[in-house]
Amino acid sequence: RIARGKDGEGSCPSDLDCRLAFRPGFDSRFTLGTAVTCSCVMAAAVVFAMVAGPPMVSASHVFAGRMDVASPVQECEGYWPEPALCFSSSPADGCPQHRVQPGWAGKAELLEKLRKMEAVAHDFQELQWAGGCALPEGTAGIKKLNYRGLAWSRIKEGEFVGSAEFEDTRGRGVGCWPDGYSSHYVNEHDVVPSQRFQDYVTNFDVASFSAAVEACRAATSDKSLN
């Protein structure tokens, strides 16, 4: 499912559990053997239902239901309806095709800032894995979380985009977006971010975040020498 729950739902008991967890929005999350087994079981269930069960729901109702599931994707930037809905002759509402605008104003500046934010978040993640890194109180940061599974492009069929997510340390309601959003959608395909996300990137204090992470790095280095 692409839909996400409210803040707090599906939370993990630890950071390690989160890094190993499945995440809504990431597809193809099973091994080939598991996928084949599940497909066989589902096919058998469908055949049995057609023969012995009540009339099945029409395909049009199933399609509409999938669109309903895919619609609440605005909690985080860069999450879209299912690939089939975006690669149809008439892409569904919410697909990135509707946000493509070559040469849109402010693209270069936004990308430069967003890449800096993601790079510092990556450094912050590595320091946390190495033994922890606490940001000073009042300093906004960005967590990078890795998940099992693959996120496939909704704008270029068959292309893998990423398997991680960036999330503001103040909460998902402040800012969150998937890894690959900046490079694949914004840079490569000229997708225009929502005004809310543009404002978030513009106002984020990446200098303070970077300084805090560097302080953590220095403290970690000092500990290793002692």
Side-chain angles (χ1 to χ4, degrees):
R1 290 180 57 159
I2 307 301
R4 296 176 174 273
K6 297 179 181 178
D7 288 348
E9 292 182 357
S11 60
C12 307
S14 70
D15 288 341
L16 178 61
D17 291 320
C18 281
R19 291 198 294 270
L20 297 179
F22 292 143
R23 191 65 170 174
F26 297 109
D27 308 314
S28 302
R29 293 173 284 182
F30 304 99
T31 63
L32 178 60
T34 303
V36 171
T37 301
C38 290
S39 298
C40 293
V41 172
M42 291 178 65
V46 170
V47 171
F48 177 80
M50 292 177 64
V51 174
M56 297 181 67
V57 178
S58 68
S60 61
H61 286 99
V62 174
F63 187 83
R66 290 171 63 188
M67 289 192 67
D68 291 342
V69 167
S71 59
V73 295
Q74 298 306 316
E75 179 186 345
C76 291
E77 189 76 14
Y79 283 88
W80 324 101
E82 298 178 22
L85 302 181
C86 293
F87 292 126
S88 66
S89 56
S90 298
D93 291 342
C95 289
Q97 286 84 348
H98 298 296
R99 303 195 62 85
V100 173
Q101 184 179 326
W104 55 275
K107 173 182 174 180
E109 293 81 3
L110 186 90
L111 271 175
E112 182 180 6
K113 178 76 174 290
L114 188 54
R115 285 167 174 163
K116 288 180 180 178
M117 292 163 61
E118 292 178 347
V120 179
H122 180 75
D123 292 342
F124 183 41
Q125 179 194 53
E126 290 189 333
L127 287 171
Q128 288 181 311
W129 284 355
C133 175
L135 298 177
E137 185 176 354
T139 300
I142 299 168
K143 299 181 292 184
K144 183 180 181 182
L145 305 172
N146 293 84
Y147 298 99
R148 292 184 294 177
L150 308 175
W152 296 98
S153 173
R154 266 59 167 180
I155 203 167
K156 187 173 182 180
E157 200 163 4
E159 183 164 329
F160 165 66
V161 178
S163 60
E165 183 180 78
F166 295 98
E167 179 183 324
D168 194 288
T169 55
R170 294 166 291 182
R172 299 177 63 77
V174 177
C176 51
W177 66 99
D179 187 23
Y181 173 69
S182 60
S183 59
H184 180 71
Y185 292 102
V186 179
N187 182 48
E188 186 177 348
H189 294 287
D190 291 306
V191 170
V192 182
S194 66
Q195 188 59 53
R196 178 178 180 273
F197 188 71
Q198 291 187 52
D199 292 342
Y200 165 74
V201 173
T202 299
N203 296 324
F204 185 84
D205 189 352
V206 68
S208 294
F209 180 34
S210 179
V213 170
E214 288 305 313
C216 277
R217 190 193 307 279
T220 301
S221 178
D222 290 340
K223 288 180 181 179
S224 65
L225 293 176
N226 294 333

